[in-house]
Amino acid sequence: MGKDREGKIPMLKKINESEDILWLSFPALVKFDFLHQGLILKNKQETLFTNKNNLKKDLEKSLKIIAENNGPAIYSEQVHKNKSAVLASVNDIKKWDFNSKYDAFITNQKCVFLTVRVADCLPIYLIEPDAKAIGLIHAGWRSTILRIVENTLEQMYSTFKADIDKMICVIGPGLGKGCFEISEELAILFPPDCQVIENGSKPRLDLAQVNFKQLVKSGLKTKNISIISECTHCNPELYYSFRRSANKNQRMVAFIGLKG
Ligand SMILES: [Zn+2]
């Protein structure tokens, strides 16, 4: 995976460097030329995005370099629940409360970046190209149990009349099924076919697969869902991992925005 073998297997990610910022973009989304999209990776500047007081400035500076424009970046306190914020007007953006508690965002507004911070949790990107509606989700195991993707899709439908048949989704890199050990108590809450169960070791969770199944249950076409099946824990050269990294504040930043 990840290799473009004569176009038969589409490349899953493209690594970019803009000034000193390392980030990846998703080839599955490149055809939508009205989008800015990607994930800012582990960076040379190790304190980037680590200080809450500098987060707004860090995000806007980085995104300006990557996307060469100057839209505001929306973010929230991430609380591992299932609430999705709706940004349906210029006013919603102007009056945004950065201390609010959300783990997902949806918008149809141009020139604004939706962002979530991740290190092992999954960034999930949603695009309905005809309605020009987009969503971004921060999905750890808690939000996944609370079915955050279903919630967000429902809001995209009710607010923007997004059509589930046209919905495109990318599930970004996160803690992989090789590394995501969970307790027996937690394992009961997830479908057995989304776990690796071996004698003598703890169950391990395929969190991307759980979200994939929820997306399909909500009506997404399987061909419209891409999973970047790379483990943040196993790829230290590109990714931060909360479980692996010594500095527990380091985060990557997933972003998506409609161009102006
Ligand atoms: Zn791993």
Side-chain angles (χ1 to χ4, degrees):
M1 300 293 258
K3 291 260 158 59
D4 191 358
R5 287 179 217 155
E6 295 162 9
K8 284 181 195 130
I9 299 170
M11 218 167 54
L12 293 175
K13 67 185 204 303
K14 178 173 178 280
I15 305 291
N16 312 290
E17 194 166 354
S18 304
E19 298 185 19
D20 260 354
I21 299 170
L22 199 63
W23 59 288
L24 63 80
S25 50
F26 302 104
L29 305 181
V30 162
K31 65 183 166 195
F32 305 119
D33 58 3
F34 54 85
L35 276 186
H36 290 298
Q37 48 86 14
L39 174 69
I40 303 176
L41 300 167
K42 184 175 174 177
N43 259 285
K44 287 177 196 163
Q45 199 190 319
E46 290 188 357
T47 57
L48 200 66
F49 313 127
T50 56
N51 183 336
K52 201 183 155 188
N53 297 326
N54 297 336
L55 187 56
K56 194 168 191 296
K57 188 168 61 90
D58 282 352
L59 282 171
E60 291 184 355
K61 194 176 162 204
S62 306
L63 289 167
K64 190 176 182 183
I65 291 167
I66 292 170
E68 295 170 349
N69 77 8
N70 214 1
I74 294 294
Y75 62 90
S76 188
E77 301 258 343
Q78 299 175 174
V79 289
H80 298 281
K81 297 284 200 301
N82 65 356
K83 270 172 73 186
S84 171
V86 178
L87 298 152
S89 70
V90 173
N91 229 19
D92 289 345
I93 296 161
K94 267 192 196 154
K95 291 185 173 169
W96 180 249
D97 172 8
F98 292 92
N99 296 311
S100 57
K101 294 175 168 57
Y102 290 98
D103 290 280
F105 306 92
I106 65 170
T107 193
N108 64 347
Q109 298 295 299
K110 291 175 179 176
C111 301
V112 59
F113 290 102
L114 310 180
T115 72
V116 299
R117 284 99 60 214
V118 287
D120 291 342
C121 287
L122 297 168
I124 302 180
Y125 304 71
L126 295 168
I127 299 98
E128 207 279 54
D130 288 0
K132 294 269 185 348
I134 55 175
L136 185 62
I137 299 168
H138 161 250
W141 64 263
R142 290 178 183 85
S143 300
T144 300
I145 287 173
L146 296 170
R147 300 182 176 277
I148 192 167
V149 293
E150 289 181 13
N151 230 25
T152 308
L153 285 166
E154 174 58 35
Q155 266 180 328
M156 285 181 80
Y157 171 71
S158 59
T159 315
F160 303 129
K161 298 282 167 270
D163 182 347
I164 198 79
D165 284 339
K166 294 174 182 156
M167 190 73 70
I168 307 290
C169 178
V170 170
I171 302 178
L175 191 63
K177 65 181 174 188
C179 293
F180 204 150
E181 277 192 355
I182 53 172
S183 65
E184 304 282 353
E185 294 73 32
L186 193 53
I188 295 165
L189 303 175
F190 292 99
D193 61 350
C194 297
Q195 298 179 44
V196 181
I197 298 161
E198 289 165 346
N199 279 342
S201 57
K202 281 188 170 179
R204 281 172 286 136
L205 182 63
D206 188 344
L207 190 65
Q209 194 59 32
V210 182
N211 280 283
F212 177 87
K213 286 182 74 147
Q214 290 182 8
L215 288 160
V216 172
K217 190 169 165 255
S218 296
L220 254 87
K221 293 180 175 166
T222 56
K223 70 175 173 68
N224 289 348
I225 309 170
S226 308
I227 301 178
I228 312 302
S229 51
E230 258 180 348
C231 176
T232 43
H233 191 269
C234 292
N235 291 281
E237 70 288 355
L238 285 183
Y239 304 125
Y240 288 128
S241 163
F242 185 80
R243 291 204 181 189
R244 187 199 64 239
S245 306
N247 182 343
K248 298 293 182 198
N249 293 321
Q250 288 171 323
R251 293 288 182 279
M252 302 178 288
V253 172
F255 64 92
I256 189 165
L258 296 166
K259 290 179 184 173

mmCIF file of all heavy atoms in Angstrom, residues 31-49:
data_model
loop_
_atom_site.group_PDB
_atom_site.id
_atom_site.type_symbol
_atom_site.label_atom_id
_atom_site.label_comp_id
_atom_site.label_asym_id
_atom_site.label_seq_id
_atom_site.Cartn_x
_atom_site.Cartn_y
_atom_site.Cartn_z
ATOM 1 N N LYS A 31 -8.761 15.358 -6.637
ATOM 2 C CA LYS A 31 -9.644 15.726 -7.759
ATOM 3 C C LYS A 31 -10.636 16.831 -7.379
ATOM 4 O O LYS A 31 -11.192 17.488 -8.259
ATOM 5 C CB LYS A 31 -10.372 14.499 -8.295
ATOM 6 C CG LYS A 31 -11.324 13.871 -7.318
ATOM 7 C CD LYS A 31 -11.959 12.605 -7.888
ATOM 8 C CE LYS A 31 -12.634 11.807 -6.789
ATOM 9 N NZ LYS A 31 -12.964 10.460 -7.162
ATOM 10 N N PHE A 32 -10.843 17.004 -6.081
ATOM 11 C CA PHE A 32 -11.735 18.086 -5.651
ATOM 12 C C PHE A 32 -10.905 19.355 -5.516
ATOM 13 O O PHE A 32 -10.373 19.655 -4.451
ATOM 14 C CB PHE A 32 -12.432 17.721 -4.344
ATOM 15 C CG PHE A 32 -13.172 16.415 -4.424
ATOM 16 C CD1 PHE A 32 -12.838 15.356 -3.599
ATOM 17 C CD2 PHE A 32 -14.189 16.238 -5.348
ATOM 18 C CE1 PHE A 32 -13.512 14.148 -3.695
ATOM 19 C CE2 PHE A 32 -14.867 15.034 -5.444
ATOM 20 C CZ PHE A 32 -14.525 13.985 -4.617
ATOM 21 N N ASP A 33 -10.799 20.064 -6.631
ATOM 22 C CA ASP A 33 -9.878 21.210 -6.640
ATOM 23 C C ASP A 33 -10.401 22.397 -5.838
ATOM 24 O O ASP A 33 -9.719 23.407 -5.718
ATOM 25 C CB ASP A 33 -9.538 21.614 -8.085
ATOM 26 C CG ASP A 33 -10.768 21.974 -8.890
ATOM 27 O OD1 ASP A 33 -11.886 21.965 -8.320
ATOM 28 O OD2 ASP A 33 -10.631 22.276 -10.088
ATOM 29 N N PHE A 34 -11.584 22.256 -5.267
ATOM 30 C CA PHE A 34 -12.123 23.322 -4.415
ATOM 31 C C PHE A 34 -11.719 23.136 -2.949
ATOM 32 O O PHE A 34 -12.144 23.872 -2.083
ATOM 33 C CB PHE A 34 -13.657 23.379 -4.534
ATOM 34 C CG PHE A 34 -14.335 22.055 -4.252
ATOM 35 C CD1 PHE A 34 -14.636 21.674 -2.955
ATOM 36 C CD2 PHE A 34 -14.656 21.186 -5.293
ATOM 37 C CE1 PHE A 34 -15.250 20.466 -2.693
ATOM 38 C CE2 PHE A 34 -15.275 19.965 -5.034
ATOM 39 C CZ PHE A 34 -15.568 19.601 -3.730
ATOM 40 N N LEU A 35 -10.878 22.118 -2.697
ATOM 41 C CA LEU A 35 -10.521 21.777 -1.313
ATOM 42 C C LEU A 35 -9.072 22.049 -0.971
ATOM 43 O O LEU A 35 -8.180 21.786 -1.776
ATOM 44 C CB LEU A 35 -10.686 20.264 -1.097
ATOM 45 C CG LEU A 35 -12.009 19.633 -0.759
ATOM 46 C CD1 LEU A 35 -11.774 18.152 -0.483
ATOM 47 C CD2 LEU A 35 -12.672 20.304 0.436
ATOM 48 N N HIS A 36 -8.842 22.523 0.250
ATOM 49 C CA HIS A 36 -7.541 22.356 0.894
ATOM 50 C C HIS A 36 -7.689 21.175 1.856
ATOM 51 O O HIS A 36 -8.689 21.113 2.584
ATOM 52 C CB HIS A 36 -7.180 23.595 1.733
ATOM 53 C CG HIS A 36 -6.864 24.801 0.937
ATOM 54 N ND1 HIS A 36 -5.815 24.863 0.053
ATOM 55 C CD2 HIS A 36 -7.451 26.026 0.906
ATOM 56 C CE1 HIS A 36 -5.766 26.065 -0.492
ATOM 57 N NE2 HIS A 36 -6.743 26.798 -0.006
ATOM 58 N N GLN A 37 -6.760 20.284 1.891
ATOM 59 C CA GLN A 37 -6.903 19.123 2.782
ATOM 60 C C GLN A 37 -5.560 18.501 3.098
ATOM 61 O O GLN A 37 -4.640 18.566 2.283
ATOM 62 C CB GLN A 37 -7.828 18.079 2.141
ATOM 63 C CG GLN A 37 -7.514 17.726 0.666
ATOM 64 C CD GLN A 37 -6.472 16.633 0.450
ATOM 65 O OE1 GLN A 37 -6.127 15.908 1.378
ATOM 66 N NE2 GLN A 37 -5.931 16.514 -0.758
ATOM 67 N N GLY A 38 -5.457 17.934 4.275
ATOM 68 C CA GLY A 38 -4.228 17.237 4.622
ATOM 69 C C GLY A 38 -4.054 17.034 6.119
ATOM 70 O O GLY A 38 -4.983 17.232 6.916
ATOM 71 N N LEU A 39 -2.854 16.608 6.450
ATOM 72 C CA LEU A 39 -2.487 16.349 7.840
ATOM 73 C C LEU A 39 -1.060 16.859 8.047
ATOM 74 O O LEU A 39 -0.137 16.417 7.347
ATOM 75 C CB LEU A 39 -2.546 14.831 8.110
ATOM 76 C CG LEU A 39 -2.073 14.336 9.470
ATOM 77 C CD1 LEU A 39 -3.036 14.769 10.587
ATOM 78 C CD2 LEU A 39 -1.962 12.800 9.478
ATOM 79 N N ILE A 40 -0.906 17.799 8.966
ATOM 80 C CA ILE A 40 0.435 18.291 9.312
ATOM 81 C C ILE A 40 1.086 17.243 10.212
ATOM 82 O O ILE A 40 0.520 16.841 11.234
ATOM 83 C CB ILE A 40 0.375 19.657 10.008
ATOM 84 C CG1 ILE A 40 -0.357 20.667 9.110
ATOM 85 C CG2 ILE A 40 1.790 20.141 10.346
ATOM 86 C CD1 ILE A 40 -0.559 22.044 9.753
ATOM 87 N N LEU A 41 2.271 16.790 9.800
ATOM 88 C CA LEU A 41 2.912 15.636 10.441
ATOM 89 C C LEU A 41 3.817 16.074 11.597
ATOM 90 O O LEU A 41 3.859 17.250 11.966
ATOM 91 C CB LEU A 41 3.707 14.876 9.377
ATOM 92 C CG LEU A 41 2.865 14.358 8.204
ATOM 93 C CD1 LEU A 41 3.750 13.901 7.058
ATOM 94 C CD2 LEU A 41 1.954 13.228 8.661
ATOM 95 N N LYS A 42 4.539 15.101 12.123
ATOM 96 C CA LYS A 42 5.585 15.370 13.107
ATOM 97 C C LYS A 42 6.538 16.404 12.503
ATOM 98 O O LYS A 42 6.879 16.306 11.327
ATOM 99 C CB LYS A 42 6.325 14.054 13.347
ATOM 100 C CG LYS A 42 7.379 14.079 14.396
ATOM 101 C CD LYS A 42 7.908 12.660 14.572
ATOM 102 C CE LYS A 42 9.071 12.635 15.520
ATOM 103 N NZ LYS A 42 9.546 11.257 15.762
ATOM 104 N N ASN A 43 6.909 17.383 13.292
ATOM 105 C CA ASN A 43 7.670 18.477 12.699
ATOM 106 C C ASN A 43 9.000 18.767 13.352
ATOM 107 O O ASN A 43 9.235 18.408 14.497
ATOM 108 C CB ASN A 43 6.806 19.734 12.683
ATOM 109 C CG ASN A 43 6.230 19.949 11.293
ATOM 110 O OD1 ASN A 43 6.953 20.377 10.397
ATOM 111 N ND2 ASN A 43 4.973 19.586 11.101
ATOM 112 N N LYS A 44 9.859 19.408 12.572
ATOM 113 C CA LYS A 44 11.184 19.786 13.076
ATOM 114 C C LYS A 44 11.044 20.690 14.294
ATOM 115 O O LYS A 44 11.796 20.590 15.247
ATOM 116 C CB LYS A 44 11.959 20.533 11.978
ATOM 117 C CG LYS A 44 12.440 19.633 10.862
ATOM 118 C CD LYS A 44 13.128 20.447 9.763
ATOM 119 C CE LYS A 44 13.260 19.617 8.497
ATOM 120 N NZ LYS A 44 13.524 20.436 7.315
ATOM 121 N N GLN A 45 10.070 21.570 14.184
ATOM 122 C CA GLN A 45 9.836 22.506 15.278
ATOM 123 C C GLN A 45 8.960 21.792 16.316
ATOM 124 O O GLN A 45 7.739 21.736 16.197
ATOM 125 C CB GLN A 45 9.123 23.732 14.710
ATOM 126 C CG GLN A 45 9.207 24.961 15.577
ATOM 127 C CD GLN A 45 8.273 26.035 15.061
ATOM 128 O OE1 GLN A 45 8.157 26.245 13.859
ATOM 129 N NE2 GLN A 45 7.580 26.703 15.972
ATOM 130 N N GLU A 46 9.598 21.223 17.338
ATOM 131 C CA GLU A 46 8.905 20.271 18.217
ATOM 132 C C GLU A 46 7.836 20.888 19.115
ATOM 133 O O GLU A 46 7.003 20.173 19.653
ATOM 134 C CB GLU A 46 9.937 19.517 19.054
ATOM 135 C CG GLU A 46 10.754 18.567 18.185
ATOM 136 C CD GLU A 46 11.661 17.665 18.993
ATOM 137 O OE1 GLU A 46 11.712 17.803 20.224
ATOM 138 O OE2 GLU A 46 12.318 16.815 18.358
ATOM 139 N N THR A 47 7.903 22.213 19.276
ATOM 140 C CA THR A 47 6.913 22.838 20.162
ATOM 141 C C THR A 47 5.659 23.307 19.414
ATOM 142 O O THR A 47 4.716 23.774 20.032
ATOM 143 C CB THR A 47 7.518 24.067 20.883
ATOM 144 O OG1 THR A 47 8.008 24.979 19.885
ATOM 145 C CG2 THR A 47 8.669 23.660 21.807
ATOM 146 N N LEU A 48 5.675 23.138 18.089
ATOM 147 C CA LEU A 48 4.518 23.564 17.291
ATOM 148 C C LEU A 48 3.239 22.859 17.770
ATOM 149 O O LEU A 48 3.232 21.637 17.944
ATOM 150 C CB LEU A 48 4.779 23.229 15.815
ATOM 151 C CG LEU A 48 3.959 23.961 14.759
ATOM 152 C CD1 LEU A 48 4.286 25.457 14.736
ATOM 153 C CD2 LEU A 48 4.214 23.347 13.381
ATOM 154 N N PHE A 49 2.214 23.612 18.000
ATOM 155 C CA PHE A 49 0.880 23.122 18.440
ATOM 156 C C PHE A 49 0.866 22.535 19.862
ATOM 157 O O PHE A 49 -0.110 21.913 20.249
ATOM 158 C CB PHE A 49 0.304 22.063 17.483
ATOM 159 C CG PHE A 49 0.384 22.408 16.035
ATOM 160 C CD1 PHE A 49 0.965 21.525 15.132
ATOM 161 C CD2 PHE A 49 -0.110 23.611 15.552
ATOM 162 C CE1 PHE A 49 1.049 21.832 13.785
ATOM 163 C CE2 PHE A 49 -0.029 23.928 14.205
ATOM 164 C CZ PHE A 49 0.552 23.039 13.314
#
